[in-house]
Amino acid sequence: MNKILEEWLNVQKNWLYLEPIFQSEDIMRQLPSEAKRFATVNRIWKSLLSAAHENPFCYPYMTQTENCLEQFTEANQLLEKVQKGLNDYLENK
């Protein structure tokens, strides 16, 4: 359960940072791979939050949400790639 919470908080922190950046049409146009990855994370994140809203108790949510840990882990891996791509872009600009 601790690992799920750790992954959840990492996704939340990184998503909150990157979400306003990837609302920009200019960034989406210049970083299409990162924009696609972020869109995937956005879909995963909103799906997990929707499941948490439907089942607001921690233990049942974590045990009954299908592939909960795997989804958070995948989202974090994608967010790392998005962040790296964004950093590379900003360094070269």
Side-chain angles (χ1 to χ4, degrees):
M1 193 173 333
N2 191 36
K3 182 67 175 161
I4 294 172
L5 288 174
E6 183 180 306
E7 293 288 330
W8 182 333
L9 291 175
N10 284 331
V11 171
Q12 181 174 337
K13 177 184 69 156
N14 292 319
W15 183 88
L16 284 170
Y17 173 73
L18 291 169
E19 195 266 342
I21 295 169
F22 282 92
Q23 292 297 314
S24 166
E25 291 293 325
D26 184 46
I27 293 292
M28 291 178 66
R29 199 172 30 258
Q30 294 186 35
L31 299 171
S33 297
E34 286 76 11
K36 185 177 178 182
R37 287 184 183 116
F38 187 79
T40 300
V41 171
N42 197 44
R43 184 177 31 77
I44 292 169
W45 176 240
K46 289 184 177 186
S47 171
L48 289 167
L49 286 183
S50 177
H53 180 73
E54 292 172 13
N55 195 353
F57 298 103
C58 189
Y59 183 76
Y61 169 78
M62 292 181 187
T63 58
Q64 295 172 8
T65 302
E66 189 174 334
N67 300 320
C68 186
L69 177 59
E70 292 82 2
Q71 289 184 72
F72 279 122
T73 302
E74 177 187 2
N76 275 316
Q77 290 169 350
L78 289 169
L79 285 168
E80 286 176 17
K81 291 177 183 178
V82 169
Q83 184 69 56
K84 183 184 181 325
L86 178 61
N87 289 341
D88 291 347
Y89 167 77
L90 292 173
E91 286 177 13
N92 292 326
K93 189 167 183 179

